[in-house]
Amino acid sequence: MEGVIDHHVRDLLSRLGGVDVCVTEFVRVTHTRLPRRVFTRLCPELEQGAQTPNGTPVKLQLLGGNPTAMAYNAAKAVEAGAKSIDLNFGCPAKSVNNSDGGACLLQSPSRVEGIVAAVRQAVPDEIPVSAKIRLGYQDRSSYLDNARAAEAGGASELAVHARSKVDGYRPPAYWEYIGEIRQQLGIRVIANGDLWTLDDFKRCREVTGCDAYMFGRSLLARPDIGLQIQAMYAGREYQPLQWHQVAAILYDYYTTTQDIYPAKYLGNRVKQWLAYLKLSYPQATVFFEQIKRHRDPELLEQAFAQHLQPAPHTQEQHVA
């Protein structure tokens, strides 16, 4: 999720718990031999054993359509400290697809296989190479062809977003395709798409039969979804995070990043995260309306102060 889940967010969410592995924003690969600083800028965890401060492994993700360039830069990423390489064949963004990257490559399964194979051959055997795909580009008819291509190229894992590129993010997610892919492949298949709630997860597990799941937008909307799932498997009671607890995570993010961005952008990352939190917490809509036009630190602090206090039990709510 370019420009959204950076290393600060990875730190916060992995520290909260319920996350076993993180994947970076994609590193865009064209025909250029990228310098080390490009990898460490997007993935500073490379300097710390390719893991977040709490020890959660971080995969470095590459995106591009040139096998030679992808292979070269994957090898350089490993030299920079990457312990695992992930390949993005799922990004639906028009700007990316028009530049021979992301989901557009799903129009040619042979290209998917070639890129995966080139990267697999370029990095040491002990470095896992995984891939992420959608169910297709214009439609979902090539879902098995692309899944098999990734496996044939040497991918050790395959994450599947249960939509085509043209589907975008419109509901529904077609989990049944993931279930068929899992049955056909000999590698682990990771289910992704519309896992917003614990009930969604249960239905997806039933449909796909997968034992691994990837969360993107839904983890920003419900930061403890992973903890809820872990508690379910352990048979433990779990009280989902209340709004003031989520606001505390958001405040941590705000204070951590406050000095990184120019004053004219102050609070923009918080507003961006609130756009996802609004999907689960009605209080996030109120918060966003309070700060959407403000960049003044004092006004932002005042707004935060209102939301960091526990609400009366009858008022504290979130969407189940």
Side-chain angles (χ1 to χ4, degrees):
M1 296 181 66
E2 185 184 19
V4 180
I5 299 185
D6 59 13
H7 67 282
H8 300 293
V9 174
R10 294 194 292 270
D11 177 21
L12 284 169
L13 295 179
S14 63
R15 200 187 327 150
L16 177 65
V19 176
D20 299 311
V21 180
C22 295
V23 182
T24 69
E25 305 160 271
F26 63 74
V27 176
R28 184 72 171 97
V29 175
T30 53
H31 299 278
T32 306
R33 297 185 172 189
L34 299 172
R36 178 188 179 95
R37 66 178 180 276
V38 172
F39 303 115
T40 55
R41 183 178 69 245
L42 277 176
C43 186
E45 297 99 334
L46 295 180
E47 307 282 10
Q48 305 297 327
Q51 57 186 12
T52 65
N54 83 316
T56 301
V58 178
K59 291 184 179 185
L60 182 73
Q61 186 178 90
L62 303 179
L63 178 149
N66 182 298
T68 302
M70 289 285 280
Y72 176 86
N73 286 292
K76 299 304 289 185
V78 171
E79 289 180 13
K83 305 297 185 186
S84 182
I85 300 294
D86 188 62
L87 304 176
N88 184 325
F89 299 104
C91 180
K94 184 176 181 180
S95 59
V96 170
N97 291 173
N98 287 346
S99 301
D100 198 35
C104 74
L105 298 166
L106 300 175
Q107 297 173 101
S108 175
S110 63
R111 292 193 68 195
V112 171
E113 180 177 348
I115 292 167
V116 175
V119 171
R120 177 64 277 170
Q121 294 166 15
V123 301
D125 291 344
E126 66 271 17
I127 301 296
V129 175
S130 58
K132 182 182 180 184
I133 65 171
R134 282 177 168 250
L135 297 176
Y137 189 74
Q138 294 290 353
D139 56 41
R140 297 180 289 277
S141 60
S142 62
Y143 68 103
L144 271 180
D145 293 333
N146 282 303
R148 288 171 174 150
E151 181 180 38
S156 57
E157 291 184 334
L158 180 68
V160 182
H161 181 90
R163 296 181 176 90
S164 70
K165 184 271 181 189
V166 171
D167 290 329
Y169 293 101
R170 294 187 305 274
Y174 300 92
W175 295 327
E176 62 273 15
Y177 289 85
I178 300 179
E180 188 173 350
I181 290 171
R182 183 191 63 79
Q183 292 175 348
Q184 295 291 326
L185 266 57
I187 59 176
R188 170 179 264 185
V189 174
I190 303 166
N192 173 243
D194 278 12
L195 299 169
W196 298 104
T197 68
L198 189 58
D199 284 341
D200 291 336
F201 169 78
K202 292 175 181 176
R203 290 194 298 270
C204 182
R205 182 181 60 166
E206 181 178 348
V207 171
T208 66
C210 290
D211 65 356
Y213 301 83
M214 177 175 285
F215 298 84
R217 297 171 301 146
S218 56
L219 188 60
L220 292 174
R222 196 179 301 272
D224 66 338
I225 184 67
L227 289 175
Q228 294 183 36
I229 292 168
Q230 287 182 345
M232 181 199 74
Y233 273 112
R236 290 185 282 104
E237 290 291 327
Y238 179 79
Q239 175 62 48
L241 291 179
Q242 301 298 302
W243 169 245
H244 71 278
Q245 296 170 303
V246 175
I249 296 171
L250 203 60
Y251 185 67
D252 193 350
Y253 183 50
Y254 168 71
T255 56
T256 300
T257 60
Q258 186 173 2
D259 296 332
I260 298 175
Y261 303 105
K264 63 179 179 178
Y265 299 129
L266 186 63
N268 279 10
R269 286 296 184 101
V270 169
K271 297 167 191 175
Q272 185 178 42
W273 197 340
L274 283 170
Y276 293 96
L277 287 169
K278 287 191 290 186
L279 300 173
S280 299
Y281 295 88
Q283 300 92 332
T285 300
V286 176
F287 193 8
F288 179 78
E289 290 299 320
Q290 288 176 318
I291 69 170
K292 66 180 181 181
R293 293 184 177 86
H294 297 307
R295 294 186 178 88
D296 181 84
E298 185 175 349
L299 292 174
L300 291 171
E301 290 281 351
Q302 290 174 1
F304 264 114
Q306 297 176 35
H307 291 270
L308 291 171
Q309 299 300 318
H313 181 69
T314 55
Q315 296 180 17
E316 187 80 12
Q317 59 177 312
H318 58 85
V319 178

